[in-house]
Amino acid sequence: MSPGQSNMLPRPFSVYRADTLSGEISLLIEIKGKGTALLAETTPGVSLKLLGPLGRGFPDLPPRSLLVAGGAGIAPLAFLAASTAAPRTLLYCARSSEFLVCPDTDLDLPGLSVMEATDDGSRGVKGTAADLLSNRIEKAGAVFACGPRPMLAAVKEICSRAKIETWFSLEERMACGIGACVGCAVATTGGYRRVCRDGPVFPAEEVIFDG
Ligand SMILES: Cc1cc2nc3c(=O)[nH]c(=O)nc-3n(C[C@H](O)[C@H](O)[C@H](O)COP(=O)(O)OP(=O)(O)OC[C@H]3O[C@@H](n4cnc5c(N)ncnc54)[C@H](O)[C@@H]3O)c2cc1C
Ligand code: FES
């Protein structure tokens, strides 16, 4: 998505909520730099260019799924959490409370348990996503995660030790969004893959974090 009048490259965002009746979608955007700051200043009535939906999303949630969100990684996981009423648990983690940007009311979904953790203990449990996950991994049906790469690397290690099916939504910088520029390529066990076209969702076992 990009501000209509600017010459900036578009920025990638997840669908946070979708209303199938009205056709409206919502985004949850954390301000990081110039593009997100410009989007945050947008007022009603301003036109934005939007291309999508693009890429491959998460598979359906099996019973007892654990959803692990780091910071703005909550956006695709909140959307996923709303796709079923089956019992599932969201582990929602960030550096501190100000980075837990998702309103509580948006996570008040039937069958969803929410556990929060912050590195500094300013909200929820004091600790990391890995701390929360380690205590719950044994009973998980599958794990779905989105967040900073160090968090995903820790999640991968825990899940692979416990042999639990795990899926990641990767956040890379993008330019074209349609597979043409290769600017979003990441190392996987199958070679370099484009996050915009081949992902952003990949099986965790395929993602190489030190490559
Ligand atoms: C598939 C996908 C879905 C995403 N969904 C969301 C979402 O729902 N909500 C949301 O807030 N953000 C989301 N992001 C991240 C978002 O695209 C970036 O934060 C945004 O592009 C930053 O643009 P900017 O111009 O504000 O910052 P820039 O000026 O471009 O960068 C500011 C800082 O952010 C870092 N940065 C820039 N782009 C990324 C990126 N893609 N991933 C990690 N760090 C980055 C830069 O290294 C720099 O430190 C998603 C990214 C991807 C690939
Ligand atoms: S952003 Fe151009 S190939 Fe992915």
Side-chain angles (χ1 to χ4, degrees):
M1 170 180 271
S2 60
Q5 300 304 313
S6 84
N7 293 322
M8 295 180 77
L9 288 167
R11 301 294 194 260
F13 299 103
S14 308
V15 175
Y16 172 57
R17 284 192 303 186
D19 185 329
T20 45
L21 287 181
S22 68
E24 287 179 7
I25 63 160
S26 307
L27 308 178
L28 184 73
I29 298 179
E30 183 182 353
I31 300 175
K32 280 267 180 74
K34 198 172 163 193
T36 45
L38 265 176
L39 285 168
E41 286 168 9
T42 305
T43 49
V46 171
S47 294
L48 300 170
K49 292 181 193 161
L50 184 129
L51 180 65
L54 301 171
R56 296 161 194 256
F58 285 116
D60 291 343
L61 290 179
R64 293 175 289 104
S65 288
L66 285 179
L67 285 60
V68 186
I74 186 66
L77 292 175
F79 184 76
L80 183 67
S83 68
T84 177
R88 62 222 181 278
T89 301
L90 171 69
L91 310 179
Y92 184 21
C93 311
R95 269 177 283 164
S96 62
S97 58
E98 68 195 282
F99 294 98
L100 293 173
V101 289
C102 183
D104 289 348
T105 46
D106 287 2
L107 298 176
D108 189 9
L109 299 169
L112 179 69
S113 310
V114 181
M115 308 213 56
E116 293 175 336
T118 47
D119 294 352
D120 65 1
S122 52
R123 190 155 137 193
V125 174
K126 187 175 191 304
T128 64
D131 297 330
L132 282 187
L133 183 63
S134 300
N135 295 332
R136 284 157 192 87
I137 191 66
E138 296 303 336
K139 292 181 183 160
V143 172
F144 301 79
C146 182
R149 283 181 81 86
M151 181 197 100
L152 296 183
V155 169
K156 178 177 175 179
E157 200 178 315
I158 294 163
C159 294
S160 110
R161 228 182 292 128
K163 298 187 172 41
I164 302 289
E165 177 190 329
T166 303
W167 296 85
F168 291 157
S169 185
L170 299 183
E171 298 200 338
E172 285 302 315
R173 305 195 78 171
M174 291 186 179
C176 72
I178 54 169
C181 74
V182 201
C184 63
V186 290
T188 73
T189 52
Y192 280 93
R193 310 270 301 279
R194 297 159 301 180
V195 172
C196 67
R197 185 115 187 202
D198 305 319
V201 174
F202 293 91
E205 75 227 26
E206 291 182 10
V207 181
I208 298 172
F209 287 100
D210 53 0

